């Protein structure tokens, strides 16, 4: 039986990942940040959409609530919670606030979701409190076992690279300072901590001034402007211990995910530019090591900016039982599923195309493909063509439903997929075979953000009220090791 409020006799969330997978309720709503197509130049504010995903509901696949932000130009990005499963041992805490950082404005919204279908504003962190620390361009929010919220930064006050972490008291919403003691990472993006091994790993995009206006190729292969490293911190000492250079195969390592079992010192990171996944493991001497685990071949093309098109991995996630790894190829348009039961030998078990740039009959012609004999048709769901591409991913707790949204970052969306921006984002659902592996499109599921009351918007990340496999970090593995 599911436990009230998502807890099982303790604090927020679940004691272990498998508890969440086995005992968590089926998701009925999604929280989705909706970004105005003009990004930071917008005259209308972004908003948080509450989407009904209960197939028994009369409003299935519809936006049932919209909470507009207080100012235009935020570019809402990767949300987190005031508390989550890492705080499970504290029965006095409740997961009742969604934390929304803004990549464009550096404003942070604490959204009260105690009424799950009608979120409301509570507290707002002013950008001045962020900029006063000498950092900017907020990205990922995670709750900590201490009761703080930690948000990664990508820039300094001038838009140069700066990988640090802002600390906010989850109860008061007050900024308390920066997390890192001593040297900062050159660049920042995502992060994941594992106290059992006294480690936090962070990834890198680049200097914000070099990507906030769109994809500018002249910056990509320059080590001074685009990242290619994994940063290893001591969790207890908050010190940068090691920087792992991934080389050109690892330019722009973005989403980073440890296996959910906190006793397994293995993580994966998707690297955008050359479409590779690296595996990061701990060596016997206590240092960490990275090696390429999955390589998506480039396609030789005509009608593109260059003679080859890489996949551009923009999101990855791992199922709660650590069996399947999923990622999206933003340029090719496919979502992939790999069996990582043996994490040192990933095995492709599923692939579905959802738009992208290489569909049959499209403006870009593929002249050589190392994987496919022919290119896919432009995908349609419920009569709508999926202009745009697979981007953000979210998996149901039981692993049977994979939700896919289509917006990356408004300047890049406008550059790569103008028809997507014109028509608005979509969310589709893939049904997952959790026994044999494999995925297929649910033909009855479509959330169409081109039909919003004030015009098309860009739908980004997805969250459930009770937490999910990308926002929750566990401290207990469920065994006595």
């Amino acid at each position: 039986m599911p436990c009230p409020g998502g807890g099982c006799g303790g604090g927020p969330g679940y004691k272990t990942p498998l508890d969440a997978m086995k005992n968590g309720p089926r998701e009925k709503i999604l929280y989705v940040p909706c970004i105005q197509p003009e990004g930071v130049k917008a005259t209308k504010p972004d908003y948080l959409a509450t989407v009904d995903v209960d197939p028994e509901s009369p409003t299935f696949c519809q936006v049932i609530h919209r909470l507009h932000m207080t100012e235009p130009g935020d570019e809402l990005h990767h949300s987190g919670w005031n508390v989550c499963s890492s705080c499970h041992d504290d029965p006095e805490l409740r997961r009742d606030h969604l934390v929304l950082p803004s990549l464009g404005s550096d404003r942070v919204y604490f959204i009260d979701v105690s009424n799950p279908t009608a979120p409301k504003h509570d507290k707002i962190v002013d950008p001045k409190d962020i900029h006063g620390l000498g950092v900017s361009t907020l990205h990922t929010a995670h709750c900590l076992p201490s009761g703080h919220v930690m948000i990664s930064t990508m820039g300094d006050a001038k838009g140069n690279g700066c990988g640090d972490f802002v600390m906010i008291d989850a109860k008061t919403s007050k900024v308390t300072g920066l997390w890192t003691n001593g040297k900062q990472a050159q660049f920042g993006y995502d992060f994941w901590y594992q106290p059992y091994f006294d480690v936090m790993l962070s990834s890198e995009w680049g200097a914000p001034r070099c990507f906030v206006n769109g994809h500018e190729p002249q910056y990509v292969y320059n080590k001074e402007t685009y990242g290619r490293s994994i940063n290893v911190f001591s969790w207890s000492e908050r010190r940068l211990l090691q920087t792992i250079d991934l080389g050109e195969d690892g330019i722009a390592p973005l989403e980073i995910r440890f296996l959910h079992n906190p006793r397994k010192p293995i993580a994966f990171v998707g690297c955008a530019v050359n479409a590779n996944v690296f595996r990061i493991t701990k060596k016997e001497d206590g240092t960490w090591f990275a090696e390429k685990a999955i390589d998506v071949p480039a396609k030789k093309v005509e009608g593109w900016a260059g003679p080859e098109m890489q996949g551009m991995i923009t999101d990855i996630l791992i199922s709660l039982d650590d069996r399947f790894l999923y990622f999206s190829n933003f340029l090719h348009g496919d979502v992939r599923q790999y069996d990582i039961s043996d994490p040192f030998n990933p095995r492709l078990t599923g692939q579905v195309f959802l738009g992208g740039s290489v569909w049959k009959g499209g403006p870009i012609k593929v002249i050589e493909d190392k994987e496919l004999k022919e290119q896919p048709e432009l995908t349609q769901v419920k009569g709508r063509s999926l202009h745009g591409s697979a981007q953000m991913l979210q998996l149901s707790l039981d692993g049977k439903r994979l939700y896919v949204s289509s917006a990356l970052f408004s300047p890049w969306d406008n550059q790569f997929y103008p028809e997507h921006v014109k028509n608005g984002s979509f969310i589709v659902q893939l049904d997952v075979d959790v026994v044999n592996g494999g995925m297929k499109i649910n033909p009855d599921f479509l959330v169409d953000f081109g039909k919003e009351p004030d015009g098309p918007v860009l739908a980004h990340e997805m969250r459930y009220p009770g937490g999910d496999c990308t926002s929750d970090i566990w401290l207990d593995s469920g065994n006595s090791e």
Side-chain angles (χ1 to χ4, degrees):
M1 291 288 291
C3 305
C8 292
Y14 296 84
K15 184 177 181 181
T16 71
L18 292 182
D19 283 342
M21 190 172 195
K22 294 175 181 178
N23 298 315
R26 178 179 173 133
E27 67 288 348
K28 293 187 177 181
I29 60 175
L30 297 178
Y31 297 131
V32 185
C34 292
I35 291 83
Q36 299 295 339
E38 302 84 3
V40 297
K41 298 179 181 179
T43 57
K44 294 180 289 189
D46 300 340
Y47 57 90
L48 180 69
T50 303
V51 180
D52 186 342
V53 295
D54 180 359
E56 304 299 320
S57 170
T59 53
F60 180 54
C61 288
Q62 296 179 30
V63 177
I64 58 174
H65 187 272
R66 298 171 184 86
L67 178 68
H68 289 83
M69 300 302 109
T70 60
E71 303 288 340
D74 282 322
E75 187 90 36
L76 297 176
H77 218 58
H78 287 199
S79 60
W81 297 100
N82 59 321
V83 296
C84 58
S85 291
S86 66
C87 304
H88 181 73
D89 287 340
D90 190 339
E92 296 184 1
L93 298 179
R94 291 187 62 83
R95 188 201 312 253
D96 55 11
H97 282 73
L98 186 65
V99 182
L100 286 174
S102 304
L103 189 154
S105 69
D106 297 320
R107 193 172 288 106
V108 183
Y109 296 91
F110 278 71
I111 306 300
D112 183 343
V113 294
S114 53
N115 180 353
T117 58
K120 61 183 181 181
H121 285 288
D122 188 0
K123 298 181 176 67
I124 302 173
V125 177
D126 193 283
K128 292 185 294 185
D129 295 332
I130 304 297
H131 299 159
L133 300 174
V135 294
S136 70
T137 325
L138 302 178
H139 193 267
T140 299
H142 274 304
C143 78
L144 307 189
S146 65
H148 281 79
V149 173
M150 190 159 118
I151 304 177
S152 58
T153 74
M154 294 191 287
D156 64 11
K158 297 181 179 180
N160 298 308
C162 179
D164 212 318
F165 309 89
V166 173
M167 297 289 283
I168 302 176
D169 186 304
K171 291 183 178 179
T172 65
S173 305
K174 299 294 185 182
V175 175
T176 61
L178 296 176
W179 181 81
T180 304
N181 288 325
K183 182 182 178 181
Q184 297 168 313
Q186 183 179 5
F187 302 109
Y189 189 79
D190 195 22
F191 67 100
W192 198 281
Y193 59 85
Q194 233 187 19
Y196 184 78
F197 293 99
D198 190 31
V199 70
M200 184 183 77
L201 302 180
S202 72
S203 59
E204 304 183 335
W205 187 350
R209 62 181 174 81
C210 301
F211 64 73
V212 294
N213 296 315
H215 177 64
E216 300 184 67
Q218 70 270 26
Y219 296 122
V220 171
Y221 289 91
N222 185 336
K223 287 186 176 183
E224 300 303 313
T225 50
Y226 256 60
R228 59 183 67 195
S229 300
I230 298 299
N231 298 292
V232 182
F233 292 83
S234 164
W235 181 244
S236 61
E237 298 178 0
R238 304 184 178 188
R239 289 192 303 111
L240 179 61
L241 301 178
Q242 184 183 354
T243 298
I244 306 171
D245 189 339
L246 304 178
E248 289 200 356
D249 279 347
I251 295 175
L254 300 183
E255 308 301 334
I256 189 164
R257 316 292 188 199
F258 263 108
L259 295 182
H260 293 288
N261 184 338
R263 304 295 178 92
K264 299 288 186 182
I266 300 173
F268 291 88
V269 64
C271 302
V273 171
N274 290 313
N276 298 301
V277 175
F278 276 73
R279 179 178 52 250
I280 306 140
T281 55
K282 187 179 182 182
K283 297 194 293 186
E284 290 185 1
D285 66 1
T287 60
W288 293 75
F289 171 72
E291 58 188 339
K292 188 162 62 173
I294 301 170
D295 185 349
V296 176
K299 302 176 189 289
K300 290 187 178 180
V301 296
E302 293 178 348
W304 178 243
E308 290 190 334
M309 179 190 288
Q310 297 283 2
M312 190 179 282
I313 296 174
T314 52
D315 195 18
I316 73 168
L317 61 76
I318 297 173
S319 60
L320 289 176
D321 58 0
D322 292 335
R323 182 181 173 194
F324 292 116
L325 180 148
Y326 300 85
F327 64 76
S328 55
N329 281 314
F330 185 65
L331 292 183
H332 292 174
D334 58 317
V335 176
R336 300 192 183 202
Q337 177 200 58
Y338 285 79
D339 188 323
I340 57 167
S341 300
D342 177 357
F344 295 93
N345 292 286
R347 181 170 59 89
L348 180 64
T349 48
Q351 183 179 27
V352 175
F353 277 83
L354 300 170
S357 299
V358 295
W359 45 276
K360 190 182 299 183
I364 296 168
K365 181 180 179 180
V366 177
I367 57 176
E368 183 179 320
D369 194 320
K370 295 180 180 179
E371 295 183 308
L372 303 179
K373 293 182 180 180
E374 61 178 358
Q375 299 310 305
E377 301 284 349
L378 180 60
T379 310
Q380 289 195 338
V381 179
K382 299 185 74 171
R384 172 176 168 164
S385 296
L386 300 187
H387 293 288
S389 185
Q391 211 289 99
M392 294 303 295
L393 308 174
Q394 192 53 264
L395 188 66
S396 61
L397 296 180
D398 61 12
K400 296 180 180 180
R401 293 167 299 284
L402 183 70
Y403 296 92
V404 186
S405 63
S406 56
L408 174 62
F409 176 44
S410 62
W412 290 50
D413 292 324
N414 278 283
Q415 183 176 1
F416 287 115
Y417 294 114
E419 282 298 308
H420 163 242
V421 175
K422 176 183 175 182
N423 290 289
S425 282
F426 58 81
I427 297 177
V428 297
Q429 183 193 98
L430 305 183
D431 294 326
V432 178
D433 185 339
V434 297
V435 177
N436 303 304
M439 306 176 293
K440 60 182 180 180
I441 296 173
N442 180 340
D444 299 319
F445 187 101
L446 174 70
V447 185
D448 188 347
F449 289 93
K451 298 180 178 179
E452 286 295 275
D454 291 329
V457 291
L458 303 174
H460 193 56
E461 190 189 43
M462 297 160 283
R463 294 272 178 244
Y464 312 133
D468 49 67
C469 66
T470 58
S471 63
D472 275 50
I473 294 176
W474 278 270
L475 308 184
D476 192 335
S477 65
N479 59 43
S480 57
E481 292 180 36

